[in-house]
Amino acid sequence: MPVHYFLVLSAFLFSIGIYGVLARQNAVLVLLSIELMLNAVNINLIAFSAWFEGRGLPGQIFALFVIAVAAAEVGVGLAIVILIYRNRQTVDVDEMSLMKW
Amino acid sequence: MQLAQSFIQADVDWHALAPELVMITAACLVLVVDLFVPRAIKWVAMPLSAAGIFATIAAVASLIGDERTTLAGSFEVDGFALLFKGLFALIGLVILGVSFHFFREGRYYQGEYYFLLMCGLLGGMVMASSRDLISIFIAIELISIPGIIMTALRKGDAKSNESALKFFLFSVLSSAVMLYGMSLIYGITGATQLDAIRDALAEAGSQPVITMSVFFIVVGFAFKISAVPFHFWAPDTYEGAPSPVAAFLSTASKIGGFVGLLVLMFVAFPDVADDWRPIFAVLAVLTMTVGNLIALRQTHIIRLLAYSGIAQSGYILVAFALIDPSNAATNSQAFQSALIYLAIYGVMDAGAFGAAVAFARRGGSYFIDDYKGLWSRSPLLACMLTAFLVSLAGVPPLAGFWAKLFVFLATMNAEVWWLAAVMGLNAVIAAWYYLAVVKRMFFDPAEDDSLVEVPLMLKTSIGFCAALLIVFVPGMPILSNLVERSTL
Amino acid sequence: MSAALWQQIVFWALAVVMAFAAIRVVTTRNVVHAALYLVGTLLGAAAMYVLLFAEFVAWVQVLVYVGAIVVLMLFGLMLTRADIGKSNFDNDQRLLAAVCSAAVFGVTSWVLVDAFEGQEISLARTTGTTTASIGDAIFSAYVLPFEVVSVLLLAALVGAVVIARRDTGDE
Amino acid sequence: MEWFDGGWGLSLATFLPLLGAIVLLFVPAAKEQAVKLVGTIFAGLALIAGIGLLLRFDYSRAGDIQLGTNLEWITQINARYHVGVDGMSLPLLVLSVLVTFLCCIYLWFHVPDPGKPKALFALVLLLETGMNGSFVALDLILFFVFWEVVLVPMYFMIGVWGGPRREYAAVKFFLYTLFGSIFMLLGFLAIWINSGGLDGGTFDMITLREQGVHATELFQNLVFLGLFLGFAIKVPMWPFHTWLPDAHTEAPTVGSVLLAAILLKMGTYGFIRIALPILPDAAVTFAPIIGILAVIAIIYGALCCLAQTDLKRLIAFSSVGHMGFVMLGIATLTDAGINGAIFGMVAHGLITGMLFFLAGSIHERYHTREIADLGGILKQIPRFGTLFTYAAIASLGLPGLAGFWGEMLALLGSYNPAPALDPTLFRVLMVGGGVGTVLTAGYLLWTIQRINLGRVPEKFADGHGIQDVVTLEWIAWAPLLVLILAVGVYPKMMLGLTDGAVQQIMHLFGTVAGH
Amino acid sequence: MWLVPLLPVLSFFAILFFGKKTKSRGHWFGIGALGIGFAMSLFAFIQLAAGNAAVEKSWNWFKIGDTINLEFGMHYDFLTGVMFVVVTLIALLVHIYSTGYMHDDERYTIFFAFLSLFTGSMLFMVIANNLLQLFVGWELVGVCSYFLIGHYWEEKENSSAAMKAFITNRVGDMAFLFGIFVLFFAGHGFNIEALNHAVHEGHLGGTVLTVGALLLFGGVISKSAQFPLYVWLPDAMAGPTPVSALIHAATMVVAGVYLVARMFLLFEGAGSALQVVSVVAAITMLLAAILALVQDDIKRVLAYSTISQLAYMVAALGVGAYTAGVFHLFTHAMFKALLFLGAGSLIHSAHTNNMSEMGGMRKYMPHTFRTFMIGSLGLAGIFPLAGFFSKDEIIGGALRSASEGRQLTSWIVLISAILTAFLTALYVTRMLVKTFWGEYKGHGTPHESPGSMVTPLWILAGATITVGFLGFPVIGPFKEWINVPGEVHHGFETLYNIILPVGATVVALAAIGLGIRLFHKPRKEIDIVSGPFGWMYRFVENKYYLDDFYLKGIVKPIQYPIARATYWTSQKIFDGAVNSAGRGAVALSRPVYDILDQQVIDFAVNGAAGLTGYSGGLLKYIQSGNVQRYAAVLFGAIALFVAAFVLL
């Protein structure tokens, strides 16, 4: 089973995530897209760890940490989104430009 | 049973971890105490965390001089680590001092704030010792996420929320990019420990994929250290965040990023340096030039400091553009120049932010035009701020000059003349906008001549930085020797 | 049919599903759907992990991601009352975004394929890494990151609470 | 006295003012007299130290570095705390401590608006440390540090106590000089790299002078260009001089005096102490250019002076011309020329310093610097007018006064420059210089005629608040006046000191004047 | 000997610092110093005359390397001696005279201070044994003359005159200085004797020498008011008259002559240079003499006459008549000082310089009249007064060198010398007539000057009558004192010792007669006849009836149109050149300052600044605050970077 299958797949997901980050308006949707990117990372890690067989342990652990951190990030992110919504009744990222000079 | 055994088996050098452990305990302590004290005296959190940091410093001091490695080589305590642990603690203290009145008078969640601040510092300390992709990743996250939250603490202010969101998005995005690169590195080398990675890369030799992965990692860090063109978030975030937090972001958080970058580039990837050195050359030039040019036009002190900070990171990045594993002398020269620059930059930038906070505290504002005649309104503050600005401009004999000098030396030593010339020109441009502030403070008449009184706490912490700047002058040999001994 | 072939089939099936789901995540006009499509992708990923002998990670993936994160997302969407039927969730720079992501995809995949072509993951094994070994590693070599992550989560928790809670009259 | 000779003397002369500045910080600003007293005392202590150096200096070995010390400083890059004086630097050092002290005395009753004597004294003392330091430093890094130290105090002096366009002037001064010194620093570092860099590289001027720079011609020229930029802007040489008139005009009296008397000398001193000895070959390449620029400066400065309506500005431009003579002397690369240059520096320091004092006092009395508004000063306040005439005559290079020997030797040198140089060109330059002296005489006499002679304008006729030279002014000026005469009558006082030092570097240019 | 220059300098400081306090307002310092000085120099001179050797002493002034070794030295020989006597004597008399003349001046003290300083510098210059030291003195006397000319500086013209004098001299001085350099680097140092010696021995010669000599002569041209740089001298008359007597007649202006005499061997060695010298002198003497004819200001008349007399001396040296030149310097000092002081006394009482406002003064001021008369005749070269001998020596010298064909230029010198002699007599007569004869046309009633002023007049008059005999042909001792190696002393020759003197006298008398015819109103005739010199007048008158037409045909055209034209050129061209040079410099400087300095070069600085500021603005715009635009930029950057660094 060729490694690069997985790699290309993850690369694809990663790029899709990028697209979402760039193109989506709703902050939550942007957050979703970022999750896609993190998943791409995890797929890489796991694929490699499977490829390394014996030495594969770090990859999986890495993936676990990524998941944990992702959870933390999402928590914080959503908190901020809610906060903003409370203050401005909108969660559209491209309206976030109070600080134009 | 087995579980228990595995605990026993795990021989962890707890002493090596002492600073981090102390920090964690202190942080949690702050959190808990905060729950039980009445609102009126919530400020006790600050002295408490200060005590915690002092304890940490003690722990760090207890480690001075010995080289320890634990956790299967993924955690190292050496001169380098200690230097930066100390630096983070120091900056932490300054920021605490700056924060005290700000948060006490501004109806913030003090306890949580101090807790988060300590977490951020903890991240930096861990970063200083991390020799493993995973812990580096965790450390950088531990620096960023509290930063994000602290940025959002000015909840009522839409600007603040917005800057928090920006910061959040960019930080997460950068983490994703960085992780992607790390995953590939793991894939190429099959290891997460930097030494192992280095060996693997050494035999793997130069490949596009390696360059790309390194590049992704660099991009990830470029966000954290707000290098052009990955700097966009910084000014807005600094402006939107509570100023002490901005100070934290621009010093501790940025230095944390640099520490990670240093460790990665000098320990893990030097053997393929030829492939990625140009990246840093470009980054450095862009960062310092763009940062300076934009700073010329700033009217808001925090934004000005933000851009000046960006430009300063440009100088530090130069050190990376000089890495040359084949030439140990040049290499260590570059490395040390980065260390010196970081140490000095941290002190003077924290001081500058502190001064800005002090001025904005009562009735003052963040707009540079309001600094007119500050000299007559608060001579001490004006003089100290001038000291920081002049030092940032790199005018001898203040510390900032030595920082630049060593970078110059390293550059010339590596015989990258053009880079040196670019730095030189930038130094002149920079002096220009720093002077613009000085000019307002001293040359222009005050519009309202009410005195600006600075509370003792602020005075001491700012004065501490100012004093350091001057102490560096005769103390330069000490610092440089210290740095000389903090190798990786 | 040999195991290898089966695996191929499974992989492609999953890959197609995941890719489709992913695309929908960033294109659908319904936020709730977007979240659900994400679930699809994540589950696909979990399946892939299983295929790659990483059961533990797979379970964690299912539990944490699908169970926690996505739910969290949905809560977020609800709380922010994202108007479901909104005609367009994209901003005006779709094209730019498409070009950028396409460029990134092209470059990375090209490089990766070039680098790893011909490397085979031998799926002959019957057992992957045991959860026990993972636990051992985490509690010995990776104990510090583990601790730190816990602090991180704590910080995130506290932070989220502080940020999200509605202050009574304070500010 | 061993401790004194062993570097302590120099260190005292350098750092006592700094100490004074620090002490001043703790003197309450309200107690003006105390502030002035402390400031003056420390300047005086520095002066005493300087005199002590004069006494301890071994004039028989004026060529060697003396009274110095050489301590470890930044071991990593082998930058050392190496200080010392020889015949070149001692006069300038003494000039610096003397003039600063006089400035302090002058400040006793002439604190310009907006007051704040405490800050002003502190800055003056800080400035003095920078100036003295750059004259005693024998280590490039140390030199650079002191060199830059002067920037900030002068910036503040101009910007806070200056005239209407002070901000512009201050910033222009700062940036212009900084710009130059950056390239100078790069030059220093390049020299350091060339001398071995991290392994055995040195910043030591003397060592470098002895071992020289062994590198390609291009490298040497580039390095020299760097140094040239730094020094030439400080001097200032045409066409880098545009900061000078503004700075001088806007600066307060004391600022102008220190600027003219000491700061400008740092540039020329740099040429003699660093650029020439360390990069002799490049110096030969650059000498004609320097010479040409110098002569342009001479004539140009004089012409500009003729066009001035503002007294201080006029004196400022005259500095351009006089420093042109100094640079011409240096460009000849002959012992006559370089001795003349050093002589010219000191003479210009004394004379132009005096002129700026006078210009400042004129402004104090008449509240204008417009030449057109002034007149008949000699009639109204004869002693003052006499002093002005004296200084002006000295400035136009009258034999028997300080101004003459420097110009004479510079011209003498350029009649017969170093063998490596083209005599024809330099003779043309000499003639240009001659024309310059005539023009110089022209504008100075004209100035005397316009402000000093003639009748007193009506608006000053009542003479209200226009008193003749007051005691403190006498005290502050007498030393300058005496020295101008003494040095002019007995030039050996200077040349006996400098010549030995100059001969040390002559062999580099294979030249002894005359052959 | 050192004391002599030192004393006046000391008295300068004494007067400067204590002058005001003393009752005498300081003049006693000066007079005392010079009295002693005069006594000493006289004594020293007698020593020399008694056969003591010339003194040469020197101390090291400063030293650069092994080559540049400047001495501070003295060289005292007969030439120096003569100068010392002259300078100290005249200075002393002028001091005394001034106590009367300047009595009511508000800057009495400073005036004396500068008189002393001047004398000191002059002596310092004279005694110098090396060129550089001489140059120092040279400039010092220049500056003193600047101060003294500008003594009445309330009036702009006066201070302008002073400036003109100084700057005109500066031009020449530069040439002088460069000449010194040239000679120095010719390898023979600064020492005068050494240089003369070197030339004499032929170690030094060729182009270098010629160039050097000519440059030195540049100094002479300005200092001794030779063509074309003489324009400053007439203006210098703006100074007080005693100053004119001391500086602009007797001493400073002869410094140039002194220099040529000092360096005579050197000039002689540089043949062509010497020819230039003589030609310049020839032109100068003629122009100046003609100009003197048309002046109304009595001091200007004397000034022009000084110029032409200086030219006489220079010319004498030019044709090799060394002794004669120096001798004329000596005598001229006496009678010209006398004339100036006399004029001063006239002005003092008539309160005007213009002869047209005087007239008939001899009635009011007998002493002045007599002494003035003596001086004038001495100037005109009438036997047995001083001018007669010296002038004859010169003409003779010119004739000799002309006839011996040593230099072609000698002819020019000879002719112009004779013409000048004639004209001199002419304008002298005119001056006398206009001043002393006729009705007094001024205001108030003139009165004789105080004794302090008259005494010096008589002393000088005595000198004028006597000193001439020192240079009596063949037997006079002067040539024993003042001579150069290789100068031959001739015995009695009819041509030179009978015909020439008589001829010269005839010329002079003719001129005087003519002058009287021209300037004297017939009805005044009786006064003249009854005057002490009446016999001479009638003799001239009768002698010249015959040449009436000849005179009208030649003299008048010279007298009016040509003279006026010359005067015009002098004023407009040469003078104008000096002034417009100054004006031009001012005019030129303004654009240089305004455009070049203030705009172009400044623009480079500020312009660069503006540029950076502008680009700063651009970058600022890019940063528009929109998160996703940032992100897009960013990933665009990533894609580019990767493409750049990985694929390429």
Side-chain angles (χ1 to χ4, degrees), chain E residues 571-612:
Chain E
Q571 288 300 305
K572 293 283 177 288
I573 295 174
F574 303 121
D575 201 1
V578 176
N579 295 341
S580 59
R583 275 198 301 277
V586 180
L588 177 59
S589 63
R590 205 157 273 122
V592 168
Y593 171 69
D594 290 345
I595 297 162
L596 190 55
D597 183 61
Q598 289 305 292
Q599 288 164 26
V600 178
I601 296 175
D602 235 13
F603 175 81
V605 179
N606 300 341
L611 202 60
T612 36

Side-chain angles (χ1 to χ4, degrees), chain D residues 171-231:
Chain D
V171 173
K172 198 171 175 185
F173 162 77
F174 194 103
L175 290 185
Y176 214 148
T177 322
L178 185 67
F179 173 80
S181 47
I182 289 285
F183 288 96
M184 185 177 84
L185 178 60
L186 292 183
F188 288 171
L189 300 187
I191 292 173
W192 176 75
I193 301 295
N194 172 270
S195 72
L198 279 170
D199 35 67
T202 176
F203 284 110
D204 189 287
M205 297 181 194
I206 306 307
T207 324
L208 286 167
R209 184 173 82 190
E210 279 147 12
Q211 76 193 34
V213 171
H214 311 291
T216 64
E217 196 175 332
L218 176 68
F219 178 88
Q220 295 203 26
N221 290 342
L222 281 178
V223 175
F224 194 93
L225 187 66
L227 304 190
F228 175 82
L229 272 177
F231 297 141

Side-chain angles (χ1 to χ4, degrees), chain E residues 227-313:
Chain E
F227 177 89
L229 289 184
Y230 62 81
V231 285
W232 65 273
L233 188 52
D235 291 24
M237 294 303 127
T241 315
V243 173
S244 317
L246 175 60
I247 299 184
H248 305 118
T251 56
M252 183 187 89
V253 286
V254 303
V257 184
Y258 169 79
L259 176 66
V260 180
R262 247 283 161 249
M263 313 289 299
F264 185 72
L265 288 176
L266 186 140
F267 277 94
E268 209 175 25
S272 48
L274 208 52
Q275 298 190 17
V276 175
V277 171
S278 39
V279 172
V280 170
I283 299 169
T284 314
M285 68 174 76
L286 213 49
L287 290 178
I290 297 166
L291 292 170
L293 269 175
V294 294
Q295 301 303 317
D296 182 39
D297 180 332
I298 185 168
K299 287 182 72 179
R300 282 179 173 266
V301 176
L302 293 174
Y304 281 115
S305 110
T306 310
I307 295 172
S308 73
Q309 295 304 310
L310 289 169
Y312 245 86
M313 307 169 200

Side-chain angles (χ1 to χ4, degrees), chain B residues 156-220:
Chain B
D157 176 353
K159 264 191 167 188
S160 171
N161 311 150
E162 180 181 319
S163 62
L165 181 61
K166 277 182 190 169
F167 185 23
F168 170 76
L169 288 178
F170 277 114
S171 158
V172 178
L173 204 53
S174 61
S175 309
V177 175
M178 178 184 72
L179 280 171
Y180 193 73
M182 284 181 166
S183 68
L184 291 180
I185 285 295
Y186 168 69
I188 296 157
T189 60
T192 58
Q193 277 184 21
L194 302 190
D195 304 336
I197 290 175
R198 176 174 194 162
D199 304 340
L201 287 181
E203 65 198 45
S206 142
Q207 300 171 19
V209 66
I210 296 175
T211 317
M212 185 176 78
S213 350
V214 173
F215 175 76
F216 275 117
I217 294 175
V218 172
V219 168

Side-chain angles (χ1 to χ4, degrees), chain A residues 40-88:
Chain A
V41 172
N42 277 353
I43 291 173
N44 271 352
L45 287 168
I46 299 303
F48 284 130
S49 84
W51 178 44
F52 292 130
E53 299 184 0
R55 297 177 295 137
L57 196 50
Q60 299 195 18
I61 292 171
F62 206 150
L64 290 172
F65 277 112
V66 172
I67 294 171
V69 171
E73 285 173 343
V74 172
V76 173
L78 283 174
I80 294 175
V81 170
I82 290 164
L83 176 63
I84 288 181
Y85 181 77
R86 192 184 301 137
N87 286 331
R88 300 197 21 208

Side-chain angles (χ1 to χ4, degrees), chain D residues 447-468:
Chain D
T447 314
I448 293 178
Q449 183 186 30
R450 285 181 294 175
I451 77 165
N452 230 12
L453 311 179
R455 297 205 162 70
V456 183
E458 292 69 19
K459 58 176 162 180
F460 302 128
D462 63 351
H464 175 65
I466 300 174
Q467 82 274 42
D468 210 334

